[in-house]
């Protein structure tokens, strides 16, 4: 049912296509929207309303109202009036029980009305309390519009593009096109973004103007960022000048029956007729200011114009629309009843100022034109065309009449009566009433209801629009999908340069932050045995690694750490604990002095980024002569540990590895297996050990050589699980696991690293205070009677109350005991103190062990 | 039921300010109104004015993401919030106003070994205090939330979760309105659009407040002003160790029921729930910078969307309807600052960061008790301002970060 070809219509009648609606085939042409094709096929009901399930038909045809929201290819909330018809699209109605034409839930609107006034749910269903979950289930099922597939996956790929231009024009309205042309003529680089609703964009590219359409500006954010939804691409625009030309929006009149199917806005008529060659109805009544263009459109479509009321001449005192089964049948205006199936109505046009308001413009009511207009635009933001406030609307038009419902807000089914009641109940400011009645909070974001609700407020409270003001214009200006915002759906995983080797060895991997690390190569207990009896190798490449150099390098670290470094000789290493301003433990690691002015700092794996930021921040604050280079990714690291470690290392290097030649806490640079390496003799796992740092690309070679040449020495790769057991046997802490955001080095049993006699360091005042105050809790080792191992996080219980917590616990094969670390009250922190630990709901006795469980003298470590 | 057929005022229209009140509450949000309500209800103190610079509930009370829970990490925190949840459970009946409190259950996802340890610790502390809270594995998570992506081939696979069945969501505005109505009916005066511009003191005691509508004499001032806490305390000459940050949130267009449990992921920096209206409500971590400027940012939408889709890929086509921000008052140890200050008669409820809303009823009862009896209730003693000079902090970072 199409009209003959219209001048400038969007249809390409040579290219028909079909899609389905509720399973039935719908015919369309290229250039149709889903709504226009359905309208051509005779469909008039496009949705059911949110609360009362009233039938609703096309109203604005510009994507501004909630009346045509549908499910398209599984995606909810699609504005069918602006969604291009695609061959094969699967379109369904949403929020109906049954079908659009017979929705069983319409019963709510028919008989539920008196029981469901505004805010009824706050006043009902309170007693009995146990019944609320059942009521709620019903409410939740009734609420909501569209549906998402509960078990759906990501199906589309979205990308993000960062764009710059001199001038960004938002909106292809007449004002926008004029501004774009002028800017292009002045030699500026111009991009024009348009929703695809404008027809006059031809020829712009010849002027060098880039037209992005169909696309929607999402908002104007901080720093002039304008993200644009261009289908599968999110364009993040930054422009020297932003021209907002979003035009103005038809504002509906509020009268009984104003939501009937067949009541439409002028722009909707214009688009149906001119763009899609459709006859909007057979017999029409027009009530609007500026009626001529509407009448022209209707006549062009062959619609009989039964009666015209020009609001500019004489606003009617009474308007009542009557319908049959939700469809418009007649309109009574000031006592005169006219039968019709179409009512084109408007109270005028309101500037679509939201983007300007987001950008920082002040919004002010202009009594002369009856609209809200943007004022005091921020620098570099301009308004062009009717958005600047050149339109007008007929003020305070609420034709009196009793009885039927008059909808102020179509999205939320809020009536004038609801608003009146809210005010009478005391919700007498616009923001309060908005939250109570939910007017303007639906999918239209106030486009069609904000002005009307402000007018109604003004009227009911005996105030005026200027005094009532507006509510905050919250972004986004047009709804945007999470998929587009998210862009590509992945977060990178980090692999060390030895990852492939671990996979080849059949390692069980685990997640340590974004890193994938080796949990074990099969049997963690076996791996600990290898370290204690022979030699083990572990990939510790994830450690943070920083080179700190410059004349002030030592002084810089001296200020950052509670440790002392001035006496650290080149070639020596010290364990360091990094503290916050409040003296809390932030990270730990080793600091090795490479030369007078150069130090090598390692951090924990998870703390690497934070420590780098921390260093850089303080470097910026103190302005010392220090250079910090992050070599975390550049260097791989392998720890070789166990009684046979010296023998193994000796086979691979020329270096003197004798106990006197390479002492505990020595740092050396030397080739190992032909690879330039940095060697740190330290012992996190409690045995004689060397941490070998080498360039990442050579790590596999180093690793292979270690395993190959150590075969007869019993070398074995070990994973994090074995390392956790081994370090626990030594009571070495893991920052972040054994410490929390309030732990400090003194309470954690490391007072020896805190040099309070230093002039100053970060957190010194706090540690002094903590020293003076004495510990509130202490970190100690414990052994459990029996073989049970408490879960990490278990509680130390005193008199039935939580009094401390287990931070680490493991079974030690070497010691044949269940061991752990726990924070306990100072009174329970002495060697031999008895503890009770809650394990699977019952209390287990444990004994405090203040010294390392394994090799307490450290003779093996230092051997 | 009767109230749906007749229109009854919720509260009296704003009247003139009197020259004197026994107690002035600064801030017409959930904490201020709860304090006023419990002063009247529990202690018969009704000569109370609640001063609000905008409309009631315009600040954090109307901007939070409405989650109520008590599965905190420290015994002090957990015990405190446990009582708050208990009070919330009975509050709809008590106020005769349906606050739409739904105890849907609350899942804090663990994506790492370390997060599992924290979850275990919270579960253990909670159980010892009688709070329903336990560690659950993937099978149970799949039952509680079949929509959640539990596959292992993602960067941050779910390894387990802390499950807290009593955790729920509530209609935040209703809490404000219900408390305001009941406080008003008991004689408390509520003064919206009344801004405090000064706090009068003499001999180390509060004697009154100055407002944009005139001066008021009073014996006690309770400041419950969240993001503006430091500014109000400054008026009384009390420095607070608090910084103000913004916290952002957004909702999607309403969807049919999709999510029947609250999902929190610290790793993903998001929490997700579905309101009774059907909107998917998504919040994030506080922004790292300090500001009083409540402007929404676009990068927030981008990273939140990215993280939400890691958990719920099927929300790809859901559309963001509205985003907003609120101000959060962050204390050094992420625990609140509650009770007396060095200025006699000047009491604060501050430092709530991202979780003040869930404490409203317990703050109200304890502060009211403090005002009435002049003794600090044991429950809030650990949260005294004094702890920053004695360094007896209460570390809630682990349970506060994105655990709304």
């Amino acid at each position: 049912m199409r009209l003959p070809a219209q001048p400038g219509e969007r249809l390409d009648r040579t290219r028909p296509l079909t899609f389905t609606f509720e399973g039935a085939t719908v015919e369309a042409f290229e250039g149709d929207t889903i709504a226009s094709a359905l309208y051509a096929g005779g469909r008039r009901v496009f949705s059911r309303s949110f609360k009362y399930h009233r039938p609703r038909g096309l109203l604005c045809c510009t994507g501004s109202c909630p009346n045509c929201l549908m499910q398209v290819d599984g995606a909810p909330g699609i504005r069918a009036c602006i969604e291009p018809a695609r061959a094969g699209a699967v379109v369904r109605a949403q929020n109906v029980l049954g079908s659009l034409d017979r929705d069983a839930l319409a019963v709510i609107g028919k008989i539920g009305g008196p029981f469901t006034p505004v805010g009824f749910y706050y006043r009902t269903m309170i007693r009995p309390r146990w019944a609320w979950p059942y009521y709620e289930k019903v409410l939740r099922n009734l609420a909501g519009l569209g549906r998402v597939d509960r078990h759906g996956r990501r199906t589309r790929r979205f990308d993000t593009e960062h764009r710059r231009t001199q001038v960004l024009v938002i909106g292809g309205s007449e004002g926008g096109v004029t501004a774009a042309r002028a800017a292009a003529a002045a030699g500026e680089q111009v991009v024009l973004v348009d929703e695809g609703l404008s027809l006059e964009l031809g020829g712009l590219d010849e002027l060098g103007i880039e037209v992005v359409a169909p696309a929607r500006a999402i908002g104007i954010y901080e720093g002039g960022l304008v993200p644009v939804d261009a289908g599968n691409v999110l364009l993040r625009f930054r422009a020297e000048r932003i021209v907002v030309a979003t035009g103005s929006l038809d504002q509906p009149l509020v009268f009984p029956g104003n939501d009937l199917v067949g009541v439409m806005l002028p722009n909707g008529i214009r688009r149906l007729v001119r763009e899609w060659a459709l006859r909007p109805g057979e017999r029409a009544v027009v009530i609007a200011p500026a009626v001529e263009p509407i009448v022209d459109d209707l006549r062009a479509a062959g619609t009989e114009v039964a009666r015209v009321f020009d609001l500019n001449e004489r606003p009617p005192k009474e308007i009542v629309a009557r319908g049959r089964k939700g469809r418009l049948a007649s309109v009574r205006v000031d006592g005169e009843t006219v039968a019709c199936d179409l009512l084109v109505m408007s109270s005028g046009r309101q500037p679509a100022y939201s983007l300007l308001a987001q950008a920082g413009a002040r919004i002010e009511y202009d009594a002369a034109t009856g609209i809200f207009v943007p004022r005091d635009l921020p620098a570099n933001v301009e308004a062009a065309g009717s958005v600047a406030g050149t339109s007008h609307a007929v003020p305070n038009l609420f034709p009196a009449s009793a009885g039927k419902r008059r909808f102020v807000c179509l999205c939320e089914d809020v009536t004038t009566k609801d608003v009146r009641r809210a005010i009478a109940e005391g919700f007498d400011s616009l923001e309060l009433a908005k939250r109570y009645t939910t007017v303007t909070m639906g999918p239209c974001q106030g486009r069609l209801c904000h002005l009307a609700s402000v007018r109604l407020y003004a009227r009911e409270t005996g105030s005026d629009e200027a005094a009532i003001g507006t509510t905050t214009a919250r972004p986004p200006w047009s709804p945007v999908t999470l998929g587009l915002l998210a862009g590509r759906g992945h977060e990178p995983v980090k692999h060390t340069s030895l990852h492939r080797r671990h996979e080849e060895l059949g390692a069980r991997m685990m997640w340590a932050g974004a890193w994938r690390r080796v949990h074990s190569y099969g049997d963690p207990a076996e791996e600990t045995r290898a370290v204690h009896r022979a030699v083990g190798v572990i990939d510790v490449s994830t450690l943070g690694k920083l080179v700190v150099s410059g004349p002030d390098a030592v002084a810089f670290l001296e200020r950052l750490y509670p440790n002392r470094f001035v006496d650290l000789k080149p070639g020596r290493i010290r364990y360091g604990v990094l503290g916050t301003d409040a003296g809390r433990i932030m990270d730990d690691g080793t600091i090795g002095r490479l030369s007078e002015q150069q130090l090598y700092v390692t951090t924990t794996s998870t703390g690497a980024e934070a420590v780098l930021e921390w260093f850089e921040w303080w470097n910026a604050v103190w302005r010392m002569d220090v250079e910090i280079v992050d070599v975390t990714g550049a260097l791989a690291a392998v720890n070789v540990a166990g009684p046979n470690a010296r023998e193994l290392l000796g086979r691979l290097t020329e270096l003197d590895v004798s106990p006197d030649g390479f002492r505990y806490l020595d740092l050396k640079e030397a080739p190992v297996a032909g690879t330039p390496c940095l060697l740190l003799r330290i012992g996190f796992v409690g045995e004689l050990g060397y941490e070998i740092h080498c360039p990442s690309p050579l790590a596999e070679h180093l690793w292979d050589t270690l395993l190959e040449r150590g075969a007869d020495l019993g070398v074995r790769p070990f994973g994090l699980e074995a390392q956790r057991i081994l370090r626990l046997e030594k009571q070495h802490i893991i920052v972040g696991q054994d410490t929390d955001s309030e732990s400090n080095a003194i309470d954690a049993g490391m007072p020896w690293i805190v040099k309070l006699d230093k002039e100053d360091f970060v957190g010194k005042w706090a540690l002094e205070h903590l020293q003076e105050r004495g510990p509130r809790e202490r970190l100690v080792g414990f052994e459990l009677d029996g073989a049970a191992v408490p879960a990490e996080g278990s509680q130390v219980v005193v008199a039935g109350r939580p009094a401390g917590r287990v931070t680490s616990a493991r079974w030690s094969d070497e010691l044949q005991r269940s061991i752990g670390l726990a924070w306990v009250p100072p009174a329970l922190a002495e060697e031999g103190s008895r503890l009770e630990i809650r394990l699977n709901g019952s209390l287990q006795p444990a004994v405090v062990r203040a010294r390392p469980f394994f090799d307490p003298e450290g003779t093996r470590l230092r051997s | 039921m009767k109230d749906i057929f007749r229109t009854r005022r919720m509260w009296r229209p704003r009247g003139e300010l009197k020259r004197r009140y026994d107690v002035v509450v600064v801030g017409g949000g959930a904490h201020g109104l709860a304090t006023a309500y419990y002063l009247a209800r529990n202690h018969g103190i009704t000569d109370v004015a609640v001063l609000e610079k905008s409309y009631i509930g315009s600040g954090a009370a109307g901007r939070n993401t409405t989650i109520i829970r008590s599965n905190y990490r420290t015994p002090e925190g957990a015990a405190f919030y446990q009582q708050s949840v208990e009070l919330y459970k009975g509050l709809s009946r008590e106020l005769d106003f349906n606050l739409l409190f739904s105890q849907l259950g609350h899942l804090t996802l663990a994506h790492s070994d370390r997060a599992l340890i924290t979850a275990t610790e919270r579960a253990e502390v909670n159980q010892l205090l009688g709070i329903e809270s336990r560690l659950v594995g993937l099978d149970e998570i799949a039952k509680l939330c079949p929509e959640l992506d539990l596959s292992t081939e993602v960067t941050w696979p779910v390894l387990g979760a802390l499950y807290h069945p009593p955790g729920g969501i509530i209609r935040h505005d209703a809490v404000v309105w219900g408390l305001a109505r009941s406080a008003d009916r008991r004689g408390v005066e509520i003064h919206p659009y009344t801004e405090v511009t000064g706090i009068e003191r003499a001999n180390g005691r509060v004697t009154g407040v100055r407002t944009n509508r005139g001066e008021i004499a009073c014996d006690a001032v309770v400041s419950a002003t969240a993001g503006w806490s430091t500014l109000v305390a400054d008026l009384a000459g009390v420095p607070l160790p608090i910084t103000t940050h913004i916290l952002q949130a957004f909702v999607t267009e309403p969807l049919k029921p999709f999510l029947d449990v609250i999902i929190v992921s610290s790793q993903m920096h998001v929490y997700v729930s579905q309101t009774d209206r059907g909107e998917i409500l998504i919040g994030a971590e506080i922004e790292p910078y300090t500001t009083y400027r409540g402007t929404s940012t676009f990068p927030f939408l981008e990273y939140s969307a990215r993280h939400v889709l890691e958990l719920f890929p099927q929300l790809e086509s859901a559309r963001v309807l509205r985003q907003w921000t609120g101000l959060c008052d962050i204390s050094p140890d992420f625990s609140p600052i509650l009770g007396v200050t060095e200025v006699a008669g000047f009491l604060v409820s501050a430092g709530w960061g991202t979780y003040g809303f869930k404490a409203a009823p317990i703050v109200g009862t304890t502060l009211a008790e403090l005002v009435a009896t002049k003794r600090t209730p044991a429950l809030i003693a650990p949260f005294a301002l004094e702890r920053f000079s004695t360094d007896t902090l209460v570390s809630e970072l682990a349970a506060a970060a994105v655990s709304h």
Side-chain angles (χ1 to χ4, degrees), chain A residues 154 156-160 483-491, chain B residues 306 310:
Chain A
R154 293 196 70 173
R156 289 173 67 188
R157 176 177 144 173
F158 295 96
D159 285 296
T160 304
L484 182 75
L485 290 168
R488 301 269 194 99
H490 66 81
E491 299 239 316
Chain B
R306 200 143 53 225
E310 291 274 320

Side-chain angles (χ1 to χ4, degrees), chain A residues 548-558 597 599 623-626:
Chain A
V548 179
S549 47
D552 294 336
V554 170
F556 177 69
L557 296 178
E558 193 79 16
Q597 298 195 359
L599 295 104
R623 294 172 174 273
M624 297 173 85
D625 194 352
V626 175

Side-chain angles (χ1 to χ4, degrees), chain A residues 661-681:
Chain A
F662 197 166
R663 294 163 301 161
Y664 180 59
L665 296 182
D666 269 354
L667 169 78
K668 304 221 180 261
E669 283 177 85
V672 178
T675 306
C677 289
L678 200 58
L679 295 99
L680 288 70
R681 194 182 153 190

Side-chain angles (χ1 to χ4, degrees), chain A residues 427-681:
Chain A
F427 294 92
D428 44 15
S429 82
L430 188 65
E431 289 281 5
L432 263 188
K434 167 180 146 185
R435 284 158 177 77
Y436 186 60
T437 62
T438 69
V439 74
T440 75
M441 290 178 77
C444 98
Q445 282 279 51
R447 279 171 169 79
L448 299 191
C449 53
H450 179 255
L451 185 63
S453 64
V454 173
R455 289 213 205 291
L456 185 57
Y457 245 78
R459 209 171 105 118
E460 294 298 322
T461 57
S463 175
D464 59 38
E465 288 93 332
I468 300 286
T470 65
T471 54
T472 313
R474 298 195 190 283
W477 158 237
S478 48
V480 52
T481 63
L482 293 182
L484 182 75
L485 290 168
R488 301 269 194 99
H490 66 81
E491 299 239 316
V493 169
K494 292 184 183 174
H495 288 166
T496 72
S497 41
L498 291 170
H499 190 78
R500 210 150 47 100
R501 288 291 182 268
H502 304 321
E503 282 181 338
E504 287 160 6
L505 287 164
R508 177 179 153 200
M509 304 306 287
M510 61 178 284
W511 279 251
W515 289 105
R516 292 291 183 274
R517 299 193 65 184
V518 175
H519 172 274
S520 66
Y521 299 88
D523 184 353
E526 199 58 45
E527 291 167 18
T528 60
R529 213 163 299 139
V531 175
H532 281 309
R533 306 267 185 279
V535 58
V537 289
I538 179 170
D539 176 7
V540 291
S541 304
T542 58
L543 289 172
K545 308 170 203 80
L546 304 173
V547 175
V548 179
S549 47
D552 294 336
V554 170
F556 177 69
L557 296 178
E558 193 79 16
R559 278 210 209 173
L560 272 173
Y561 285 82
N563 302 68
R564 181 170 291 127
F565 297 111
V566 279
D567 58 347
L568 184 66
K569 296 194 174 59
R572 293 290 290 166
I573 299 167
R574 196 158 282 168
Y575 171 70
V577 172
L578 201 56
T580 66
D581 305 59
R584 272 47 177 176
I585 297 174
M586 180 180 171
D587 202 77
D588 70 347
T590 56
I591 294 89
R593 192 157 188 177
L594 295 164
S595 66
E596 268 312 309
Q597 298 195 359
Q598 194 167 48
L599 295 104
Y600 187 67
V601 178
T602 65
T603 77
T604 63
S605 301
T606 42
E609 284 162 34
V611 171
L612 175 62
E613 277 179 31
W614 185 247
F615 275 31
E616 287 180 337
W617 195 82
W618 283 110
N619 195 23
V621 171
W622 291 330
R623 294 172 174 273
M624 297 173 85
D625 194 352
V626 175
E627 191 181 330
I628 301 156
V629 180
D630 179 12
V631 295
T632 303
L635 297 184
V638 177
N639 186 15
V640 182
N644 294 344
R646 177 172 292 122
E647 170 66 24
L648 175 54
L649 183 62
R651 292 179 183 181
L652 305 182
T653 179
E654 311 260 297
L655 204 64
D656 174 8
V657 294
S658 69
D660 294 328
F662 197 166
R663 294 163 301 161
Y664 180 59
L665 296 182
D666 269 354
L667 169 78
K668 304 221 180 261
E669 283 177 85
V672 178
T675 306
C677 289
L678 200 58
L679 295 99
L680 288 70
R681 194 182 153 190

Side-chain angles (χ1 to χ4, degrees), chain A residues 221 476 480 485, chain B residues 250 297-306 320 323:
Chain A
Y221 287 89
V480 52
L485 290 168
Chain B
F250 69 89
T297 71
F298 189 68
F300 156 73
L301 283 186
E302 294 179 298
Y303 69 68
S304 300
R306 200 143 53 225
V320 177
Q323 67 176 127

